[in-house]
PDB file of all heavy atoms in Angstrom:
ATOM      1  N   LEU A  13     100.384 101.803  11.726  1.00 86.00           N
ATOM      2  CA  LEU A  13     100.331 103.267  11.744  1.00 86.00           C
ATOM      3  C   LEU A  13     101.222 103.831  12.846  1.00 86.00           C
ATOM      4  O   LEU A  13     101.899 104.845  12.637  1.00 86.00           O
ATOM      5  CB  LEU A  13      98.890 103.745  11.911  1.00 86.00           C
ATOM      6  CG  LEU A  13      97.963 103.487  10.717  1.00 86.00           C
ATOM      7  CD1 LEU A  13      96.543 103.924  11.046  1.00 86.00           C
ATOM      8  CD2 LEU A  13      98.472 104.206   9.482  1.00 86.00           C
ATOM      9  N   ALA A  14     101.235 103.180  13.999  1.00 87.00           N
ATOM     10  CA  ALA A  14     102.114 103.632  15.083  1.00 87.00           C
ATOM     11  C   ALA A  14     103.574 103.482  14.672  1.00 87.00           C
ATOM     12  O   ALA A  14     104.402 104.363  14.953  1.00 87.00           O
ATOM     13  CB  ALA A  14     101.829 102.849  16.358  1.00 87.00           C
ATOM     14  N   GLY A  15     103.886 102.372  14.005  1.00 86.00           N
ATOM     15  CA  GLY A  15     105.251 102.178  13.512  1.00 86.00           C
ATOM     16  C   GLY A  15     105.644 103.229  12.495  1.00 86.00           C
ATOM     17  O   GLY A  15     106.759 103.748  12.512  1.00 86.00           O
ATOM     18  N   LEU A  16     104.714 103.553  11.608  1.00 86.00           N
ATOM     19  CA  LEU A  16     104.988 104.588  10.610  1.00 86.00           C
ATOM     20  C   LEU A  16     105.185 105.949  11.274  1.00 86.00           C
ATOM     21  O   LEU A  16     106.065 106.723  10.874  1.00 86.00           O
ATOM     22  CB  LEU A  16     103.855 104.658   9.587  1.00 86.00           C
ATOM     23  CG  LEU A  16     103.783 103.503   8.588  1.00 86.00           C
ATOM     24  CD1 LEU A  16     102.525 103.621   7.740  1.00 86.00           C
ATOM     25  CD2 LEU A  16     105.008 103.493   7.705  1.00 86.00           C
ATOM     26  N   ALA A  17     104.370 106.229  12.289  1.00 87.00           N
ATOM     27  CA  ALA A  17     104.501 107.510  12.985  1.00 87.00           C
ATOM     28  C   ALA A  17     105.850 107.600  13.692  1.00 87.00           C
ATOM     29  O   ALA A  17     106.529 108.636  13.629  1.00 87.00           O
ATOM     30  CB  ALA A  17     103.361 107.698  13.977  1.00 87.00           C
ATOM     31  N   SER A  18     106.260 106.525  14.351  1.00 87.00           N
ATOM     32  CA  SER A  18     107.558 106.557  15.032  1.00 87.00           C
ATOM     33  C   SER A  18     108.695 106.632  14.020  1.00 87.00           C
ATOM     34  O   SER A  18     109.690 107.329  14.243  1.00 87.00           O
ATOM     35  CB  SER A  18     107.725 105.340  15.937  1.00 87.00           C
ATOM     36  OG  SER A  18     107.799 104.160  15.176  1.00 87.00           O
ATOM     37  N   THR A  19     108.556 105.945  12.895  1.00 86.00           N
ATOM     38  CA  THR A  19     109.576 106.018  11.845  1.00 86.00           C
ATOM     39  C   THR A  19     109.661 107.425  11.273  1.00 86.00           C
ATOM     40  O   THR A  19     110.748 107.944  11.034  1.00 86.00           O
ATOM     41  CB  THR A  19     109.256 105.012  10.724  1.00 86.00           C
ATOM     42  OG1 THR A  19     109.161 103.711  11.285  1.00 86.00           O
ATOM     43  CG2 THR A  19     110.328 105.026   9.653  1.00 86.00           C
ATOM     44  N   ARG A  20     108.503 108.038  11.082  1.00 87.00           N
ATOM     45  CA  ARG A  20     108.468 109.406  10.567  1.00 87.00           C
ATOM     46  C   ARG A  20     109.172 110.355  11.540  1.00 87.00           C
ATOM     47  O   ARG A  20     109.953 111.210  11.133  1.00 87.00           O
ATOM     48  CB  ARG A  20     107.021 109.845  10.344  1.00 87.00           C
ATOM     49  CG  ARG A  20     106.898 111.166   9.610  1.00 87.00           C
ATOM     50  CD  ARG A  20     105.445 111.562   9.334  1.00 87.00           C
ATOM     51  NE  ARG A  20     104.705 110.501   8.666  1.00 87.00           N
ATOM     52  CZ  ARG A  20     103.619 109.915   9.172  1.00 87.00           C
ATOM     53  NH1 ARG A  20     103.149 110.282  10.347  1.00 87.00           N
ATOM     54  NH2 ARG A  20     103.000 108.973   8.502  1.00 87.00           N
ATOM     55  N   GLN A  21     108.912 110.179  12.840  1.00 88.00           N
ATOM     56  CA  GLN A  21     109.566 111.028  13.839  1.00 88.00           C
ATOM     57  C   GLN A  21     111.076 110.802  13.839  1.00 88.00           C
ATOM     58  O   GLN A  21     111.852 111.749  13.908  1.00 88.00           O
ATOM     59  CB  GLN A  21     108.983 110.744  15.238  1.00 88.00           C
ATOM     60  CG  GLN A  21     109.548 111.645  16.310  1.00 88.00           C
ATOM     61  CD  GLN A  21     109.241 113.107  16.075  1.00 88.00           C
ATOM     62  OE1 GLN A  21     108.202 113.463  15.557  1.00 88.00           O
ATOM     63  NE2 GLN A  21     110.154 113.961  16.462  1.00 88.00           N
ATOM     64  N   THR A  22     111.474 109.529  13.729  1.00 87.00           N
ATOM     65  CA  THR A  22     112.899 109.217  13.661  1.00 87.00           C
ATOM     66  C   THR A  22     113.525 109.845  12.429  1.00 87.00           C
ATOM     67  O   THR A  22     114.629 110.404  12.494  1.00 87.00           O
ATOM     68  CB  THR A  22     113.105 107.685  13.635  1.00 87.00           C
ATOM     69  OG1 THR A  22     112.500 107.109  14.784  1.00 87.00           O
ATOM     70  CG2 THR A  22     114.566 107.329  13.601  1.00 87.00           C
ATOM     71  N   MET A  23     112.838 109.797  11.306  1.00 86.00           N
ATOM     72  CA  MET A  23     113.344 110.401  10.077  1.00 86.00           C
ATOM     73  C   MET A  23     113.500 111.910  10.246  1.00 86.00           C
ATOM     74  O   MET A  23     114.470 112.501   9.765  1.00 86.00           O
ATOM     75  CB  MET A  23     112.407 110.093   8.905  1.00 86.00           C
ATOM     76  CG  MET A  23     112.334 108.626   8.526  1.00 86.00           C
ATOM     77  SD  MET A  23     113.863 108.006   7.877  1.00 86.00           S
ATOM     78  CE  MET A  23     113.936 108.926   6.367  1.00 86.00           C
ATOM     79  N   ARG A  24     112.531 112.535  10.899  1.00 86.00           N
ATOM     80  CA  ARG A  24     112.640 113.983  11.137  1.00 86.00           C
ATOM     81  C   ARG A  24     113.854 114.288  11.997  1.00 86.00           C
ATOM     82  O   ARG A  24     114.598 115.236  11.715  1.00 86.00           O
ATOM     83  CB  ARG A  24     111.372 114.505  11.809  1.00 86.00           C
ATOM     84  CG  ARG A  24     110.201 114.625  10.890  1.00 86.00           C
ATOM     85  CD  ARG A  24     109.023 115.291  11.586  1.00 86.00           C
ATOM     86  NE  ARG A  24     107.822 115.119  10.789  1.00 86.00           N
ATOM     87  CZ  ARG A  24     106.652 114.729  11.262  1.00 86.00           C
ATOM     88  NH1 ARG A  24     106.499 114.486  12.541  1.00 86.00           N
ATOM     89  NH2 ARG A  24     105.616 114.589  10.454  1.00 86.00           N
ATOM     90  N   ASN A  25     114.050 113.485  13.054  1.00 87.00           N
ATOM     91  CA  ASN A  25     115.206 113.700  13.919  1.00 87.00           C
ATOM     92  C   ASN A  25     116.506 113.519  13.144  1.00 87.00           C
ATOM     93  O   ASN A  25     117.449 114.307  13.294  1.00 87.00           O
ATOM     94  CB  ASN A  25     115.168 112.737  15.109  1.00 87.00           C
ATOM     95  CG  ASN A  25     114.050 113.041  16.070  1.00 87.00           C
ATOM     96  OD1 ASN A  25     113.508 114.150  16.088  1.00 87.00           O
ATOM     97  ND2 ASN A  25     113.681 112.072  16.888  1.00 87.00           N
ATOM     98  N   GLN A  26     116.549 112.479  12.312  1.00 87.00           N
ATOM     99  CA  GLN A  26     117.750 112.249  11.519  1.00 87.00           C
ATOM    100  C   GLN A  26     117.973 113.385  10.525  1.00 87.00           C
ATOM    101  O   GLN A  26     119.110 113.825  10.326  1.00 87.00           O
ATOM    102  CB  GLN A  26     117.648 110.912  10.777  1.00 87.00           C
ATOM    103  CG  GLN A  26     117.737 109.712  11.678  1.00 87.00           C
ATOM    104  CD  GLN A  26     117.466 108.421  10.944  1.00 87.00           C
ATOM    105  OE1 GLN A  26     116.969 108.406   9.829  1.00 87.00           O
ATOM    106  NE2 GLN A  26     117.780 107.302  11.593  1.00 87.00           N
ATOM    107  N   ALA A  27     116.911 113.866   9.915  1.00 84.00           N
ATOM    108  CA  ALA A  27     117.044 114.974   8.963  1.00 84.00           C
ATOM    109  C   ALA A  27     117.526 116.230   9.688  1.00 84.00           C
ATOM    110  O   ALA A  27     118.365 116.974   9.152  1.00 84.00           O
ATOM    111  CB  ALA A  27     115.714 115.233   8.274  1.00 84.00           C
ATOM    112  N   ASP A  28     117.036 116.459  10.899  1.00 85.00           N
ATOM    113  CA  ASP A  28     117.500 117.611  11.677  1.00 85.00           C
ATOM    114  C   ASP A  28     118.980 117.488  12.004  1.00 85.00           C
ATOM    115  O   ASP A  28     119.737 118.460  11.890  1.00 85.00           O
ATOM    116  CB  ASP A  28     116.696 117.749  12.972  1.00 85.00           C
ATOM    117  CG  ASP A  28     115.261 118.175  12.727  1.00 85.00           C
ATOM    118  OD1 ASP A  28     114.970 118.694  11.616  1.00 85.00           O
ATOM    119  OD2 ASP A  28     114.427 117.987  13.638  1.00 85.00           O
ATOM    120  N   LYS A  29     119.396 116.279  12.402  1.00 86.00           N
ATOM    121  CA  LYS A  29     120.807 116.066  12.719  1.00 86.00           C
ATOM    122  C   LYS A  29     121.680 116.257  11.482  1.00 86.00           C
ATOM    123  O   LYS A  29     122.749 116.859  11.558  1.00 86.00           O
ATOM    124  CB  LYS A  29     121.025 114.675  13.306  1.00 86.00           C
ATOM    125  CG  LYS A  29     120.538 114.551  14.723  1.00 86.00           C
ATOM    126  CD  LYS A  29     120.800 113.177  15.278  1.00 86.00           C
ATOM    127  CE  LYS A  29     120.237 113.060  16.686  1.00 86.00           C
ATOM    128  NZ  LYS A  29     120.475 111.736  17.264  1.00 86.00           N
ATOM    129  N   ILE A  30     121.225 115.744  10.348  1.00 85.00           N
ATOM    130  CA  ILE A  30     121.985 115.922   9.108  1.00 85.00           C
ATOM    131  C   ILE A  30     122.062 117.403   8.763  1.00 85.00           C
ATOM    132  O   ILE A  30     123.105 117.901   8.329  1.00 85.00           O
ATOM    133  CB  ILE A  30     121.363 115.096   7.966  1.00 85.00           C
ATOM    134  CG1 ILE A  30     121.615 113.613   8.203  1.00 85.00           C
ATOM    135  CG2 ILE A  30     121.929 115.511   6.613  1.00 85.00           C
ATOM    136  CD1 ILE A  30     120.934 112.696   7.212  1.00 85.00           C
ATOM    137  N   GLY A  31     120.969 118.126   8.966  1.00 81.00           N
ATOM    138  CA  GLY A  31     120.984 119.566   8.722  1.00 81.00           C
ATOM    139  C   GLY A  31     122.002 120.272   9.593  1.00 81.00           C
ATOM    140  O   GLY A  31     122.738 121.153   9.125  1.00 81.00           O
ATOM    141  N   GLU A  32     122.067 119.898  10.869  1.00 83.00           N
ATOM    142  CA  GLU A  32     123.060 120.492  11.775  1.00 83.00           C
ATOM    143  C   GLU A  32     124.474 120.175  11.310  1.00 83.00           C
ATOM    144  O   GLU A  32     125.347 121.048  11.310  1.00 83.00           O
ATOM    145  CB  GLU A  32     122.850 119.965  13.192  1.00 83.00           C
ATOM    146  CG  GLU A  32     121.590 120.454  13.863  1.00 83.00           C
ATOM    147  CD  GLU A  32     121.344 119.759  15.199  1.00 83.00           C
ATOM    148  OE1 GLU A  32     122.271 119.112  15.728  1.00 83.00           O
ATOM    149  OE2 GLU A  32     120.215 119.889  15.703  1.00 83.00           O
ATOM    150  N   ILE A  33     124.696 118.922  10.927  1.00 85.00           N
ATOM    151  CA  ILE A  33     126.022 118.524  10.453  1.00 85.00           C
ATOM    152  C   ILE A  33     126.396 119.297   9.197  1.00 85.00           C
ATOM    153  O   ILE A  33     127.535 119.757   9.049  1.00 85.00           O
ATOM    154  CB  ILE A  33     126.077 117.004  10.204  1.00 85.00           C
ATOM    155  CG1 ILE A  33     125.988 116.252  11.532  1.00 85.00           C
ATOM    156  CG2 ILE A  33     127.340 116.610   9.455  1.00 85.00           C
ATOM    157  CD1 ILE A  33     125.778 114.761  11.383  1.00 85.00           C
ATOM    158  N   MET A  34     125.438 119.446   8.294  1.00 82.00           N
ATOM    159  CA  MET A  34     125.704 120.194   7.059  1.00 82.00           C
ATOM    160  C   MET A  34     126.047 121.649   7.375  1.00 82.00           C
ATOM    161  O   MET A  34     126.954 122.229   6.773  1.00 82.00           O
ATOM    162  CB  MET A  34     124.497 120.121   6.120  1.00 82.00           C
ATOM    163  CG  MET A  34     124.189 118.737   5.594  1.00 82.00           C
ATOM    164  SD  MET A  34     125.497 118.047   4.594  1.00 82.00           S
ATOM    165  CE  MET A  34     125.403 119.119   3.193  1.00 82.00           C
ATOM    166  N   GLU A  35     125.324 122.248   8.319  1.00 81.00           N
ATOM    167  CA  GLU A  35     125.605 123.636   8.698  1.00 81.00           C
ATOM    168  C   GLU A  35     126.998 123.755   9.305  1.00 81.00           C
ATOM    169  O   GLU A  35     127.755 124.674   8.971  1.00 81.00           O
ATOM    170  CB  GLU A  35     124.547 124.148   9.685  1.00 81.00           C
ATOM    171  CG  GLU A  35     123.210 124.412   9.060  1.00 81.00           C
ATOM    172  CD  GLU A  35     123.252 125.513   8.013  1.00 81.00           C
ATOM    173  OE1 GLU A  35     123.967 126.516   8.211  1.00 81.00           O
ATOM    174  OE2 GLU A  35     122.583 125.366   6.987  1.00 81.00           O
ATOM    175  N   LYS A  36     127.353 122.823  10.194  1.00 81.00           N
ATOM    176  CA  LYS A  36     128.683 122.859  10.810  1.00 81.00           C
ATOM    177  C   LYS A  36     129.770 122.661   9.759  1.00 81.00           C
ATOM    178  O   LYS A  36     130.788 123.342   9.780  1.00 81.00           O
ATOM    179  CB  LYS A  36     128.797 121.779  11.885  1.00 81.00           C
ATOM    180  CG  LYS A  36     128.017 122.094  13.140  1.00 81.00           C
ATOM    181  CD  LYS A  36     128.144 120.980  14.154  1.00 81.00           C
ATOM    182  CE  LYS A  36     127.296 121.246  15.374  1.00 81.00           C
ATOM    183  NZ  LYS A  36     127.360 120.140  16.346  1.00 81.00           N
ATOM    184  N   SER A  37     129.531 121.720   8.832  1.00 81.00           N
ATOM    185  CA  SER A  37     130.513 121.472   7.773  1.00 81.00           C
ATOM    186  C   SER A  37     130.678 122.697   6.889  1.00 81.00           C
ATOM    187  O   SER A  37     131.800 123.070   6.531  1.00 81.00           O
ATOM    188  CB  SER A  37     130.080 120.279   6.912  1.00 81.00           C
ATOM    189  OG  SER A  37     129.995 119.121   7.684  1.00 81.00           O
ATOM    190  N   ASN A  38     129.554 123.321   6.560  1.00 78.00           N
ATOM    191  CA  ASN A  38     129.595 124.511   5.727  1.00 78.00           C
ATOM    192  C   ASN A  38     130.353 125.637   6.430  1.00 78.00           C
ATOM    193  O   ASN A  38     131.198 126.295   5.828  1.00 78.00           O
ATOM    194  CB  ASN A  38     128.177 124.950   5.362  1.00 78.00           C
ATOM    195  CG  ASN A  38     128.168 126.036   4.318  1.00 78.00           C
ATOM    196  OD1 ASN A  38     129.095 126.139   3.523  1.00 78.00           O
ATOM    197  ND2 ASN A  38     127.133 126.844   4.329  1.00 78.00           N
ATOM    198  N   SER A  39     130.072 125.845   7.717  1.00 78.00           N
ATOM    199  CA  SER A  39     130.762 126.920   8.433  1.00 78.00           C
ATOM    200  C   SER A  39     132.251 126.608   8.572  1.00 78.00           C
ATOM    201  O   SER A  39     133.085 127.506   8.493  1.00 78.00           O
ATOM    202  CB  SER A  39     130.123 127.152   9.801  1.00 78.00           C
ATOM    203  OG  SER A  39     130.285 126.027  10.622  1.00 78.00           O
ATOM    204  N   THR A  40     132.590 125.320   8.747  1.00 80.00           N
ATOM    205  CA  THR A  40     133.998 124.940   8.830  1.00 80.00           C
ATOM    206  C   THR A  40     134.709 125.210   7.503  1.00 80.00           C
ATOM    207  O   THR A  40     135.815 125.760   7.482  1.00 80.00           O
ATOM    208  CB  THR A  40     134.129 123.447   9.197  1.00 80.00           C
ATOM    209  OG1 THR A  40     133.475 123.219  10.438  1.00 80.00           O
ATOM    210  CG2 THR A  40     135.584 123.041   9.307  1.00 80.00           C
ATOM    211  N   LEU A  41     134.069 124.832   6.407  1.00 78.00           N
ATOM    212  CA  LEU A  41     134.672 125.091   5.095  1.00 78.00           C
ATOM    213  C   LEU A  41     134.816 126.584   4.844  1.00 78.00           C
ATOM    214  O   LEU A  41     135.848 127.037   4.317  1.00 78.00           O
ATOM    215  CB  LEU A  41     133.833 124.447   3.989  1.00 78.00           C
ATOM    216  CG  LEU A  41     133.934 122.928   3.885  1.00 78.00           C
ATOM    217  CD1 LEU A  41     132.924 122.409   2.874  1.00 78.00           C
ATOM    218  CD2 LEU A  41     135.326 122.503   3.509  1.00 78.00           C
ATOM    219  N   LEU A  42     133.816 127.362   5.220  1.00 78.00           N
ATOM    220  CA  LEU A  42     133.916 128.816   5.054  1.00 78.00           C
ATOM    221  C   LEU A  42     135.045 129.383   5.905  1.00 78.00           C
ATOM    222  O   LEU A  42     135.788 130.264   5.465  1.00 78.00           O
ATOM    223  CB  LEU A  42     132.589 129.485   5.406  1.00 78.00           C
ATOM    224  CG  LEU A  42     131.441 129.250   4.427  1.00 78.00           C
ATOM    225  CD1 LEU A  42     130.146 129.836   4.988  1.00 78.00           C
ATOM    226  CD2 LEU A  42     131.749 129.840   3.070  1.00 78.00           C
ATOM    227  N   HIS A  43     135.192 128.856   7.114  1.00 78.00           N
ATOM    228  CA  HIS A  43     136.271 129.310   7.995  1.00 78.00           C
ATOM    229  C   HIS A  43     137.634 128.970   7.393  1.00 78.00           C
ATOM    230  O   HIS A  43     138.544 129.806   7.389  1.00 78.00           O
ATOM    231  CB  HIS A  43     136.106 128.657   9.368  1.00 78.00           C
ATOM    232  CG  HIS A  43     137.155 129.056  10.355  1.00 78.00           C
ATOM    233  ND1 HIS A  43     137.210 130.316  10.890  1.00 78.00           N
ATOM    234  CD2 HIS A  43     138.183 128.362  10.880  1.00 78.00           C
ATOM    235  CE1 HIS A  43     138.246 130.381  11.713  1.00 78.00           C
ATOM    236  NE2 HIS A  43     138.842 129.202  11.727  1.00 78.00           N
ATOM    237  N   ILE A  44     137.756 127.765   6.860  1.00 78.00           N
ATOM    238  CA  ILE A  44     139.022 127.360   6.232  1.00 78.00           C
ATOM    239  C   ILE A  44     139.321 128.234   5.026  1.00 78.00           C
ATOM    240  O   ILE A  44     140.455 128.684   4.832  1.00 78.00           O
ATOM    241  CB  ILE A  44     138.970 125.869   5.841  1.00 78.00           C
ATOM    242  CG1 ILE A  44     138.989 124.999   7.089  1.00 78.00           C
ATOM    243  CG2 ILE A  44     140.119 125.504   4.918  1.00 78.00           C
ATOM    244  CD1 ILE A  44     138.720 123.532   6.820  1.00 78.00           C
ATOM    245  N   GLU A  45     138.293 128.503   4.211  1.00 75.00           N
ATOM    246  CA  GLU A  45     138.499 129.365   3.044  1.00 75.00           C
ATOM    247  C   GLU A  45     138.884 130.777   3.462  1.00 75.00           C
ATOM    248  O   GLU A  45     139.743 131.406   2.835  1.00 75.00           O
ATOM    249  CB  GLU A  45     137.250 129.396   2.180  1.00 75.00           C
ATOM    250  CG  GLU A  45     137.009 128.118   1.414  1.00 75.00           C
ATOM    251  CD  GLU A  45     135.720 128.146   0.614  1.00 75.00           C
ATOM    252  OE1 GLU A  45     134.970 129.136   0.699  1.00 75.00           O
ATOM    253  OE2 GLU A  45     135.463 127.169  -0.095  1.00 75.00           O
ATOM    254  N   ALA A  46     138.267 131.279   4.529  1.00 76.00           N
ATOM    255  CA  ALA A  46     138.601 132.623   5.006  1.00 76.00           C
ATOM    256  C   ALA A  46     140.042 132.674   5.487  1.00 76.00           C
ATOM    257  O   ALA A  46     140.770 133.634   5.204  1.00 76.00           O
ATOM    258  CB  ALA A  46     137.647 133.037   6.120  1.00 76.00           C
ATOM    259  N   GLN A  47     140.466 131.641   6.210  1.00 77.00           N
ATOM    260  CA  GLN A  47     141.856 131.606   6.672  1.00 77.00           C
ATOM    261  C   GLN A  47     142.819 131.497   5.495  1.00 77.00           C
ATOM    262  O   GLN A  47     143.870 132.112   5.488  1.00 77.00           O
ATOM    263  CB  GLN A  47     142.073 130.431   7.618  1.00 77.00           C
ATOM    264  CG  GLN A  47     141.535 130.667   8.997  1.00 77.00           C
ATOM    265  CD  GLN A  47     141.853 129.506   9.928  1.00 77.00           C
ATOM    266  OE1 GLN A  47     142.174 128.412   9.481  1.00 77.00           O
ATOM    267  NE2 GLN A  47     141.749 129.761  11.213  1.00 77.00           N
TER     268      GLN A  47
END
């Protein structure tokens, strides 16, 4: 259970990081399209 809890927390952190990357990628693409 402790392993699952730590894995779950790691997954949340990874999902947050992926979300940030997706947002940055999206804003970069929008910036390129605007230019």
